[in-house]
């Protein structure tokens, strides 16, 4: 006798759950704070072109302005009397006409930023909305070289606990980001960056990658022996990897074809284009921080449209009411962005007052957590408010990130910042005898003579951060010259 198994019927049930969702206002606020001043201006220009409810204050018509058609005819009838903005080609010294030589023409603007380039690829994926949101957050954390600036565990701590974020989800979002162009994007260090490129399918087009053994050797060098490769000791490297000289040369040639900074193509030199967000001036009361008025967009709601909508039912013009709300968000978020930058800059100046009087060598230890705790903000907010934001100081225009650094103890019991130590190291190397460059041990001893006691490996770390080659390589470069 067979047992009859009753068939189960599908049951529809509701299960409460929480998912990662960012409101449009919050997304815009985070994005605007992350942007540089130049990128912010481009973002606002795009919004102004799409939203008629938003306008610049200097473009606003007066209360007694005539109708649009009447105003256009009056300008045509009385052109000389009308005030108009002077075109660029009519300004004194502009010339107005470029010669046939293309070298004198201004360089064409880049069509998009690295962030826009990556977001465009993200929108073409079929990833779930939660994965898209997480990948978007990771894109905002990339530095100018295309590296992920913060550990995944730290980013996980920034997310609200009620959203139940998972480290595995962040890892999946990072894997998605690392599959984008340019190869190597989203790496956490140079080794990972080069390894990502060595897994790129386009690599097969290079002659050095045709041989599997060469490719495996290059991967082993990048994964385990980058520091040894930097010394230039080929014999020692061959022994460590277990390859002959010919194999090493082929692998080295392949590595040299890789891009250690994937975001380089989208990087604008800060020295040429950086616009200071804040200005520091010496006053009788001390150092005063003010916003750079030239960098702050002046926006307002179009009064005519707002008045018309105020007399209409919202259902009659739902689209325009939505644009009115978006315009208000933009104004509020722009104001909040610059208010946050100003508050952070003021706190930095208070902590680094010695720098403004004495220079980089007087930089004090300072970490993001110090400013975050003082202002009641999250460390991620401080990070965004100091990335690609610049301060005009008596010692030049500096990125706000430059004012942060860990502490290094001295013989006197005080602490100096890593930035100050790096300044000393840079100056020592600049003044050294090129034929007999200073070793890391000699630099360590010179710092000790000034009361700064640090280990030789710490000197090597700071030297590498300054992109200063080891003493042996500096000596070889000097001899080659």
């Amino acid at each position: 006798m067979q047992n009859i198994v009753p068939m189960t019927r599908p049951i529809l049930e509701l299960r409460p759950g929480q998912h990662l969702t960012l409101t449009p206002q919050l997304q815009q606020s985070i994005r605007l704070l992350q942007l540089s001043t130049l990128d912010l201006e481009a973002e606002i220009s795009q919004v102004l072109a799409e939203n008629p409810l938003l306008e610049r204050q200097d473009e606003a018509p007066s209360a007694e302005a005539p109708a649009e058609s009447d105003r256009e005819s009056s300008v045509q009838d009385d052109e000389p009397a009308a005030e108009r903005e002077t075109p660029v080609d009519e300004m004194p010294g502009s010339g107005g006409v470029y010669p046939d030589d293309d070298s004198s023409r201004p360089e064409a603007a880049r069509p998009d930023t690295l962030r826009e380039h990556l977001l465009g690829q993200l929108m073409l994926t079929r990833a779930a909305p939660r994965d898209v949101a997480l990948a978007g957050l990771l894109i905002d954390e990339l530095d100018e070289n295309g590296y992920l600036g913060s550990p995944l565990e730290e980013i996980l701590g920034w997310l609200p606990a009620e959203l139940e974020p998972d480290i595995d989800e962040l890892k999946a979002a990072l894997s998605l980001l690392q599959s984008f162009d340019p190869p190597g994007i989203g790496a956490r260090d140079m080794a990972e960056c080069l390894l990502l490129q060595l897994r790129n399918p386009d690599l097969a087009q290079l002659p050095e990658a045709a041989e599997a053994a060469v490719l495996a050797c290059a991967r082993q060098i990048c994964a385990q022996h980058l520091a040894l490769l930097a010394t230039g000791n080929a014999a020692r490297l061959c022994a460590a990897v277990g390859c002959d000289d010919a194999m090493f040369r082929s692998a080295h040639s392949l590595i040299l074809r890789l891009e250690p900074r994937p975001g380089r193509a989208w990087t604008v030199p800060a020295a040429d284009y950086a616009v200071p967000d804040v200005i520091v001036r010496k006053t009788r009361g001390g150092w005063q921080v003010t916003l750079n008025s030239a960098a702050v967009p002046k926006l307002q709601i179009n009064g005519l449209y707002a008045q018309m909508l105020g007399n209409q039912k919202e259902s009659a013009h739902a689209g325009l009411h939505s644009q009115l709300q978006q315009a208000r968000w933009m104004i509020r978020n722009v104001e909040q962005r610059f208010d946050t930058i100003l508050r952070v800059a003021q706190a930095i100046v208070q902590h680094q007052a010695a720098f403004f009087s004495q220079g980089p060598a007087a930089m004090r230890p300072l970490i993001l957590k110090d400013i975050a705790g003082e202002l009641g903000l999250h460390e991620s907010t401080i990070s965004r408010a100091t990335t690609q934001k610049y301060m005009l100081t008596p010692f030049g225009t500096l990125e706000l990130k430059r004012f942060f650094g860990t502490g290094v103890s001295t013989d006197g019991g005080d602490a100096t910042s890593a930035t100050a130590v790096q300044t000393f190291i840079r100056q020592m190397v600049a003044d050294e005898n090129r034929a007999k460059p200073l070793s890391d041990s000699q630099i360590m001893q010179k710092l000790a003579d000034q009361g700064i006691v640090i280990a030789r490996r710490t000197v090597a770390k700071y030297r590498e951060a300054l992109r200063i080659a080891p003493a042996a390589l500096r000596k070889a470069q000097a001899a080659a010259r």
Side-chain angles (χ1 to χ4, degrees):
M1 183 176 180
Q2 295 180 342
N3 293 329
I4 300 176
V5 179
M7 297 181 61
T8 59
R9 300 180 63 182
I11 300 175
L12 182 63
E13 61 178 335
L14 297 176
R15 294 183 179 179
Q18 294 175 323
H19 302 281
L20 178 64
T21 56
L22 297 176
T23 64
Q25 306 98 298
L26 182 56
Q27 287 180 346
Q28 185 184 72
S29 176
I30 294 174
R31 184 172 68 252
L32 294 185
L33 185 59
Q34 183 77 19
L35 295 178
S36 67
T37 298
L38 295 177
D39 291 337
L40 174 67
E41 182 60 32
E43 177 97 357
I44 289 176
S45 297
Q46 181 178 351
V47 174
L48 287 170
E50 298 173 351
N51 192 339
L53 273 297
L54 185 67
E55 64 184 9
R56 297 186 188 273
Q57 288 184 9
D58 54 359
E59 296 176 354
S62 62
E64 299 178 0
E68 188 68 22
S69 59
D70 295 338
R71 185 170 60 84
E72 290 179 357
S73 62
S74 66
V75 170
Q76 295 173 357
D77 296 340
D78 191 19
E79 177 68 23
E83 293 183 3
R84 63 187 181 92
E85 183 178 355
T86 304
V88 174
D89 58 358
E90 295 182 14
M91 291 183 177
S94 66
V97 178
Y98 293 104
D100 293 335
D101 184 8
D102 289 341
S103 62
S104 62
R105 294 178 180 270
E107 185 178 356
R110 187 174 302 282
D112 58 4
T113 63
L114 175 61
R115 179 179 179 276
E116 292 168 345
H117 179 69
L118 296 173
L119 288 178
Q121 298 174 72
L122 180 60
M123 293 302 104
L124 295 177
T125 66
R126 296 183 178 180
R130 185 179 176 94
D131 293 331
V132 170
L134 289 172
L137 290 175
L138 295 180
I139 289 174
D140 285 338
E141 291 302 320
L142 297 180
D143 63 19
E144 62 180 8
N145 292 323
Y147 286 80
L148 187 64
S150 305
L152 289 180
E153 292 75 14
E154 182 178 334
I155 296 176
L156 186 68
W158 298 344
L159 300 177
E162 61 270 16
L163 299 178
E164 299 180 357
D166 188 346
I167 189 66
D168 291 332
E169 288 182 304
L170 271 183
K171 290 180 179 178
L174 180 60
S175 297
L176 175 63
L177 172 59
Q178 291 178 343
S179 69
F180 292 169
D181 177 78
I185 199 70
R188 287 158 286 189
D189 53 42
M190 185 175 294
E192 184 178 24
C193 177
L194 299 179
L195 287 171
L196 286 171
Q197 295 177 59
L198 289 172
R199 292 201 296 264
N200 182 25
D202 295 338
L203 194 71
Q205 301 175 4
L206 299 179
E208 294 87 353
E211 189 175 346
V214 173
L215 184 58
C217 181
R219 287 173 176 168
Q220 185 177 355
I221 292 173
C222 291
Q224 304 173 13
H225 304 293
L226 274 184
L228 185 56
L229 178 64
T231 65
N233 192 331
R236 186 179 172 190
L237 186 58
C238 288
V241 176
C243 67
D244 56 24
D245 185 67
M247 178 70 69
F248 164 71
R249 291 183 181 278
S250 297
H252 189 204
S253 177
L254 176 58
I255 294 173
L256 290 176
R257 289 175 175 266
L258 306 178
E259 174 54 77
R261 291 187 287 167
R264 187 202 304 263
W266 287 266
T267 301
V268 178
D272 295 335
Y273 297 94
V275 177
D277 298 88
V278 292
I279 301 173
V280 180
R281 297 183 178 91
K282 184 66 177 294
T283 65
R284 292 183 178 180
W287 295 100
Q288 182 182 22
V289 187
T290 58
L291 288 172
N292 179 10
S293 59
V296 182
K298 298 176 177 60
L299 304 174
Q300 68 178 19
I301 302 295
N302 185 295
L304 181 60
Y305 279 109
Q307 183 179 4
M308 292 173 58
L309 289 175
N311 299 327
Q312 303 291 331
K313 294 182 178 179
E314 184 172 347
S315 58
H317 301 282
L320 287 176
H321 278 282
S322 175
Q323 288 184 313
L324 176 61
Q325 185 62 48
Q326 292 172 7
R328 288 171 175 163
W329 289 345
M330 173 61 75
I331 294 174
R332 186 180 303 115
N333 286 333
V334 168
E335 292 176 349
Q336 182 179 353
R337 174 190 186 273
F338 282 96
D339 178 67
T340 301
I341 293 174
L342 179 61
R343 292 177 61 201
V344 171
Q346 289 172 335
I348 290 175
V349 171
Q350 289 177 0
H351 283 269
Q352 300 289 9
F355 161 83
F356 295 94
S357 301
Q358 306 170 35
M363 194 85 77
R364 306 297 299 170
L366 184 64
I367 59 176
L368 297 177
K369 187 176 181 180
D370 296 335
I371 303 297
E374 183 176 324
L375 300 182
L377 300 173
H378 199 279
E379 289 179 48
S380 63
T381 302
I382 306 301
S383 176
R384 291 187 176 93
T386 54
T387 301
Q388 298 188 73
K389 313 303 184 300
Y390 296 89
M391 175 186 290
L392 181 59
T393 76
F395 301 95
T397 300
L398 305 176
E399 187 180 14
L400 296 185
K401 285 282 189 185
R402 289 279 302 275
F403 294 94
F404 292 87
T406 54
V408 177
S409 61
T410 66
D411 285 347
D414 296 328
T416 186
S417 72
T419 303
V421 177
Q422 290 176 4
T423 301
F424 289 131
I425 294 175
R426 183 189 291 111
Q427 189 61 44
M428 289 178 188
V429 172
D431 296 339
E432 71 183 1
N433 183 346
R434 293 290 184 267
K436 296 181 179 179
L438 297 172
S439 66
D440 292 343
S441 297
Q442 291 172 321
I443 294 176
M444 178 188 69
Q445 184 59 49
K446 284 182 172 290
L447 289 173
D449 294 340
Q450 300 182 36
I452 301 174
V453 181
I454 59 176
R456 186 193 60 80
R457 62 178 178 272
T458 305
V459 172
K461 182 180 71 172
Y462 289 163
R463 175 181 52 74
E464 292 170 358
L466 294 169
R467 297 180 182 177
I468 298 175
L473 186 55
R474 298 203 304 276
K475 184 176 181 179
Q477 291 172 343
R481 295 192 187 98

